[in-house]
Amino acid sequence: VLQLPGSVLIVPQATLGGKPKGKGMQYHGNIGKDEGLKGLSAFPSLLVRLLMRRIKGSPNEEDTCSSPSRDDHVPVYTLVLVLVLSVCTRFYKITEPPHVCWDETHFGKMGSYYINRTFFFDVHPPLGKMLIGLAGYLTGYDGTFPFIKPGDKYEHHNYWGMRAFCAALGSCLPPFACLIVLELSHSTPAALIAASLLIFDTGCITLSQYILLDPILMCFIMGSVLCMVRFNTHRLRPFSFSWWFWLLLTGVCLSGSLGVKFVGLFVILLVGINTVFDLWRLLGDLSLSLLDFGKHLLARVFGLIMLPLFLYTTIFAVHFIVLNRSGPGDGFFSSAFQSRLIGNNLHNASIPEYLAYGSVITVKNLRIAGGYLHSHWHLYPEGVGAHQQQVTAYLHKDYNNLWLIHTAQESITPVPFLSSAHLIFFIRTTRNLHSHFHEAPLTKKHLQVTGYGINGSGDVNDLWQVEVCGGKKGDPVKVLRSKVRFLHRSTGCVLGSSGKTLPKWGWEQVEVTCSPYVKETPNTQWNIEDHINPKLPNISLSVLKPTFLEILWESHIVMIRGNSGLKPKDNEMNSKPWHWPINYQGLRFSGVNETEYRVYLLGNPVIWWLNLLSLALFVLMLTVASLAKQRGVKMEGMRKVHCHTLMEGGGMLLLGWLLHYLPFYIMGRILYYHHYFPAMLFSSIFYLFHPLSYGMRGPLAQDPASSMAGLKWMESWEF
């Protein structure tokens, strides 16, 4: 062992040229730098240079930011302590309250649907709900609890397994944060501080204790970041087992993030930016041949693009296989999609393939929740357009959805099939589908659609021209598969569903209008679902079933439209993105008055405000460090290490925070406080606020006897 100033070196004893004092003994001694190097004359010059760099830094090394020496050893017991604290804080009072809280009414119900194999619709990809259903199934839940509304008692139903699964994934966040910060900063205290912030944050605890998608999503997001930084540390050992392991595991976590919520796209973008910079660095390495660079590129394409896409597609394949029975989600999808669901009236049905005059049909709108074209005996009230029979869109199958197709021509050709450009009447309850120059009930720039006439007799405002979308004049109309539009002959408008709900006089059904905007949109596109015509031969609908890729594409179109259609209802609280970092207002999970078990989602204000202060301080420090580097200021020792950590590790976390926060400013859908938590993970303790984590009973916060007395620091906090 050679103890040099600032380092210890173990070398073979023969290198020193001395005689061993005994078998197995080595030369020991404290020597100066010059004396030590005299004894190392047999060492390669490279080793000498490495020694010189270890002692005082290479004379050729730049005096600006460079990679720090690693000091990232964390004792196993420390990580175990972090994990134990995380598990304890998440599983404490996991069964409280014993009733449905907030969005458990949605995601618990969807878990039940998977157990019962009943098809449903949700605006998020299926992985999170599948895992919740699997957790419930494995822990004895039978899928019979209805999850009707928040506050419903679970009673004898075994709900704890689904909550425990979400809590288990939520418990992974602090250890993941610890390891991420450790890799980026090589500082054990920094890693433990980051873990502590998440362990003791009241918001993270609350969000992890209920049947929600958020802990599942955040676990995959943090897992993706951890795998990414671990992969980066293996860049000097390309194509080794550990290098491939972390690369592929990053891809797996990315597919999981996107498979739970589309918010997972943000962490995919973060990993993508990191990969682009990594490849750009490799391209500038002249010691690397273009062939080797191509291998690096293909490896990343496989691990970070092809593998996640395959796994993401597999998630949907399992989703479609499991949910094979008709359920409440049928109406959101096309008729062709519904034909594959057991129990749907289209499943294995036989109907005529092509539409003809004299057929009785149902017509389904292609927008989300557009409904079936529908009419009933009720009239529009006085003051709402013409006082004629109502025409609406109804979301459920009903006898009043049936329409008779009647020709507008004097005679019918020998082949009575209906085709594009033909003029027709729609007849329902003896009245014709009709439009005129009266305003629609809700969409004032559109025209009213009514039922008019008697026994098929009416006027010229009853004529509609058929148009097959993407087709040409003369193309036949095919059930299930053809997308058609109906253009009003007199006014030139096009029949559509606005998606707006009518008042009680319209039985809260969906408004149907005639739109003057003739551009093709799902609102004005329809397809033929049921088809009755005894004069035509029937075919089995099984031959018209869509392929896997078609239903995969349709599912994403429906989810995207559903997401964009999530608008705040009247008097509904709509959180703003600027509220979130300052912890302006939380989210009520359960209970209102002092006799109820109250759960209120609110981040620990001390932690969140310190996080916000730290973000501002980081930007300031990053600016100073960048200016210093640009001006060539010499940095030595720990300054150099801190500079590297600040610009690379801290910069990556800042980018992660920005990617998971800023996009919400341009989203048109309704937003909630919990949407900020993935961003909060990137920006990150106190016992006073512990009742927020596990719920409260007794007096409200304004009562001196309350457990939260004196802690309502902002009027907007509703606990």
Side-chain angles (χ1 to χ4, degrees):
V1 178
L2 298 182
Q3 183 176 348
L4 305 179
S7 66
V8 175
L9 177 68
I10 302 177
V11 298
Q13 62 181 27
T15 308
L16 299 175
K19 241 183 174 183
K21 297 184 180 179
K23 185 176 180 181
M25 296 185 64
Q26 297 177 329
Y27 175 81
H28 296 260
N30 294 330
I31 57 175
K33 179 181 68 174
D34 296 334
E35 294 173 344
L37 291 181
K38 290 178 182 178
L40 296 176
S41 57
F43 266 55
S45 59
L46 175 61
L47 181 56
V48 176
R49 288 197 299 271
L50 290 175
L51 283 171
M52 294 293 293
R53 178 174 296 185
R54 181 66 181 90
I55 296 168
K56 68 173 184 179
S58 172
N60 296 323
E61 189 176 11
E62 292 183 6
D63 289 329
T64 55
C65 298
S66 63
S67 298
S69 58
R70 294 182 62 84
D71 183 22
D72 53 4
H73 175 71
V74 174
V76 174
Y77 66 81
T78 304
L79 285 176
V80 171
L81 177 62
V82 169
L83 181 60
V84 169
L85 286 174
S86 184
V87 169
C88 290
T89 54
R90 270 67 181 170
F91 277 82
Y92 177 64
K93 298 177 71 173
I94 190 67
T95 58
E96 295 292 330
H99 61 247
V100 178
C101 290
W102 194 52
D103 268 358
E104 286 188 327
T105 187
H106 298 302
F107 302 121
K109 182 188 298 182
M110 292 170 187
S112 299
Y113 285 145
Y114 278 105
I115 294 174
N116 298 317
R117 306 193 68 177
T118 303
F119 187 78
F120 67 94
F121 164 71
D122 186 41
V123 297
H124 306 299
L127 179 59
K129 284 94 65 179
M130 279 199 293
L131 294 176
I132 288 173
L134 179 62
Y137 177 77
L138 294 177
T139 54
Y141 172 60
D142 59 5
T144 58
F145 186 73
F147 287 97
I148 295 175
K149 65 183 186 300
D152 289 349
K153 299 290 185 182
Y154 284 115
E155 298 178 341
H156 65 279
H157 292 276
N158 194 350
Y159 66 95
W160 68 267
M162 293 182 285
R163 281 190 179 177
F165 169 73
C166 295
L169 295 189
S171 300
C172 296
L173 301 181
F176 283 1
C178 180
L179 293 172
I180 290 169
V181 174
L182 189 65
E183 289 290 344
L184 296 177
S185 68
H186 315 292
S187 169
T188 301
L192 293 178
I193 289 173
S196 299
L197 293 178
L198 296 184
I199 287 174
F200 299 107
D201 179 64
T202 54
C204 285
I205 294 173
T206 302
L207 207 58
S208 298
Q209 288 199 305
Y210 300 96
I211 307 171
L212 303 172
L213 298 184
D214 301 271
I216 308 174
L217 171 68
M218 292 191 292
C219 181
F220 279 117
I221 288 176
M222 293 292 276
S224 300
V225 177
L226 174 59
C227 294
M228 178 188 71
V229 298
R230 288 292 297 162
F231 172 72
N232 288 342
T233 62
H234 289 76
R235 61 178 51 163
L236 296 180
R237 292 184 288 166
F239 308 109
S240 63
F241 174 81
S242 56
W243 186 89
W244 276 110
F245 175 80
W246 291 111
L247 174 64
L248 298 180
L249 195 56
T250 302
V252 171
C253 290
L254 290 179
S255 64
S257 301
L258 187 59
V260 176
K261 280 188 176 184
F262 286 128
V263 172
L265 286 169
F266 301 150
V267 75
I268 290 176
L269 185 57
L270 176 64
V271 173
I273 293 173
N274 176 80
T275 303
V276 168
F277 277 100
D278 189 31
L279 288 172
W280 185 253
R281 178 188 58 81
L282 290 173
L283 187 62
D285 185 356
L286 299 182
S287 66
L288 198 68
S289 69
L290 289 179
L291 179 61
D292 289 335
F293 175 79
K295 293 179 181 178
H296 277 275
L297 176 62
L298 291 177
R300 286 160 174 79
V301 169
F302 173 76
L304 301 179
I305 298 179
M306 296 178 64
L307 177 62
L309 280 178
F310 170 76
L311 294 176
Y312 182 74
T313 305
T314 302
I315 291 169
F316 276 89
V318 175
H319 169 73
F320 294 137
I321 291 172
V322 173
L323 302 185
N324 63 351
R325 297 174 183 169
S326 179
D330 294 16
F332 291 92
F333 291 81
S334 69
S335 306
F337 188 102
Q338 295 179 42
S339 68
R340 49 179 295 279
L341 298 173
I342 298 172
N344 190 283
N345 67 308
L346 297 175
H347 181 70
N348 289 336
S350 295
I351 61 176
E353 183 176 9
Y354 294 102
L355 202 59
Y357 295 109
S359 294
V360 176
I361 63 171
T362 59
V363 187
K364 186 175 185 299
N365 190 256
L366 296 188
R367 83 177 302 278
I368 296 297
Y372 296 90
L373 189 63
H374 177 95
S375 187
H376 40 235
W377 291 106
H378 303 279
L379 306 181
Y380 286 102
E382 293 290 345
V384 181
H387 190 56
Q388 298 175 4
Q389 186 169 299
Q390 295 177 17
V391 173
T392 64
Y394 190 47
L395 298 179
H396 306 282
K397 297 180 185 295
D398 186 83
Y399 178 78
N400 286 330
N401 298 341
L402 295 172
W403 296 82
L404 170 66
I405 302 298
H406 187 64
T407 180
Q409 283 82 4
E410 292 295 331
S411 60
I412 300 177
T413 59
V415 180
F417 291 113
L418 185 66
S419 61
S420 185
H422 279 191
L423 298 177
I424 60 171
F425 293 111
F426 286 97
I427 303 177
R428 167 76 243 149
T429 60
T430 75
R431 307 205 184 266
N432 297 338
L433 187 68
H434 177 95
S435 187
H436 44 221
F437 288 103
H438 288 265
E439 284 185 342
L442 303 179
T443 311
K444 299 304 182 182
K445 293 185 179 181
H446 291 198
L447 303 182
Q448 184 188 32
V449 177
T450 68
Y452 177 75
I454 187 70
N455 292 326
S457 63
D459 59 25
V460 295
N461 287 331
D462 301 340
L463 281 174
W464 300 84
Q465 180 175 325
V466 180
E467 177 184 288
V468 177
C469 300
K472 59 183 183 298
K473 183 177 180 180
D475 283 352
V477 179
K478 196 172 187 178
V479 297
L480 301 189
R481 307 292 264 172
S482 293
K483 296 179 182 179
V484 296
R485 300 201 308 162
F486 303 106
L487 280 71
H488 193 239
R489 186 71 168 180
S490 297
T491 63
C493 59
V494 59
L495 185 69
S497 169
S498 70
K500 299 177 181 178
T501 302
L502 293 168
K504 289 186 177 180
W505 57 255
W507 302 94
E508 297 183 337
Q509 296 176 7
V510 180
E511 179 191 40
V512 168
T513 69
C514 199
S515 171
Y517 308 106
V518 295
K519 181 180 178 181
E520 288 188 8
T521 66
N523 297 52
T524 59
Q525 292 178 331
W526 307 78
N527 74 274
I528 310 303
E529 185 167 297
D530 297 288
H531 184 199
I532 304 170
N533 194 324
K535 296 181 180 180
L536 298 177
N538 292 338
I539 66 163
S540 173
L541 290 184
S542 60
V543 301
L544 299 179
K545 286 182 180 178
T547 65
F548 169 72
L549 291 180
E550 286 176 327
I551 61 177
L552 180 65
W553 176 256
E554 180 177 347
S555 296
H556 281 77
I557 296 298
V558 171
M559 285 189 294
I560 292 170
R561 290 175 183 167
N563 249 311
S564 62
L566 290 176
K567 306 295 183 183
K569 300 176 183 177
D570 293 339
N571 301 320
E572 183 177 8
M573 184 64 66
N574 184 21
S575 183
K576 305 293 184 183
W578 68 265
H579 292 172
W580 305 339
I582 63 174
N583 221 20
Y584 177 76
Q585 188 175 43
L587 186 63
R588 192 186 308 280
F589 270 29
S590 174
V592 177
N593 58 54
E594 61 185 58
T595 62
E596 297 176 315
Y597 194 104
R598 303 184 303 280
V599 180
Y600 189 69
L601 176 67
L602 184 72
N604 190 305
V606 178
I607 293 176
W608 283 51
W609 293 341
L610 284 176
N611 280 352
L612 194 60
L613 179 63
S614 299
L615 282 170
L617 185 61
F618 170 78
V619 173
L620 177 62
M621 294 171 63
L622 184 64
T623 302
V624 172
S626 300
L627 291 174
K629 181 179 178 181
Q630 189 67 19
R631 294 297 298 171
V633 176
K634 292 184 178 181
M635 297 183 188
E636 298 179 352
M638 291 307 295
R639 285 187 181 180
K640 193 183 302 181
V641 173
H642 293 158
C643 178
H644 178 275
T645 302
L646 186 74
M647 300 185 72
E648 290 201 5
M652 191 276 288
L653 293 178
L654 177 65
L655 179 62
W657 179 78
L658 292 173
L659 290 175
H660 285 81
Y661 176 53
L662 294 183
F664 288 101
Y665 279 94
I666 59 175
M667 289 187 183
R669 58 156 290 170
I670 186 172
L671 300 175
Y672 296 103
Y673 174 66
H674 72 100
H675 287 141
Y676 181 68
F677 275 80
M680 179 266 177
L681 295 177
F682 288 92
S683 67
S684 354
I685 274 189
F686 290 80
Y687 181 76
L688 287 175
F689 286 86
H690 78 280
L692 287 177
S693 301
Y694 307 110
M696 300 160 279
R697 281 194 175 97
L700 303 180
Q702 58 267 28
D703 192 317
S706 171
S707 60
M708 298 300 293
L711 295 175
K712 191 174 181 181
W713 298 346
M714 297 179 68
E715 284 299 318
S716 53
W717 294 351
E718 298 174 322
F719 56 74

